[in-house]
Amino acid sequence: MSGVRGRVRRPRHVHLRALDRHGQPFEHEWQGVRAAIVQHEVDHLDGVLHPMRMKDLSLLVFDSEWDKLMAEPDPDVPGADRVDD
């Protein structure tokens, strides 16, 4: 969604099974930020937008409000300073 952002929980580990461009199966695993990126891109392929993954839509903000939101601690993670989208 253009112009809006929100805090979204992403997995720390992703195991992907897919077909390559030649129709051959392959598997790959990612950890950390790369796992979150892969999940984000697979969501695009599946038609899932980030608000559909959000627990609390009150945290959906315009781009201009993003820095202020990210400066606030994540209420779902005790001791967390921030959570990336």
Side-chain angles (χ1 to χ4, degrees):
M1 294 177 59
S2 180
V4 295
R5 296 183 183 203
R7 289 184 172 181
V8 177
R9 295 257 171 248
R10 297 286 183 189
R12 295 176 191 246
H13 176 262
V14 171
H15 181 101
L16 178 73
R17 287 182 284 171
L19 300 176
D20 68 16
R21 65 181 137 186
H22 305 291
Q24 298 301 310
F26 73 94
E27 295 185 34
H28 196 83
E29 293 188 29
W30 290 271
Q31 302 283 332
V33 173
R34 287 184 174 97
I37 292 167
V38 169
Q39 180 64 60
H40 172 86
E41 296 305 329
V42 169
D43 279 353
H44 282 303
L45 294 172
D46 291 338
V48 176
L49 301 175
H50 68 273
M52 300 162 110
R53 293 247 183 233
M54 293 178 66
K55 283 180 160 181
D56 182 356
L57 289 178
S58 72
L59 299 176
L60 187 64
V61 297
F62 290 107
D63 285 342
S64 61
E65 300 169 318
W66 181 248
D67 290 337
K68 180 182 175 191
L69 174 67
M70 293 310 293
E72 299 172 6
D74 186 336
D76 292 333
V77 180
D81 291 330
R82 66 175 273 179
V83 175
D84 295 326
D85 74 341

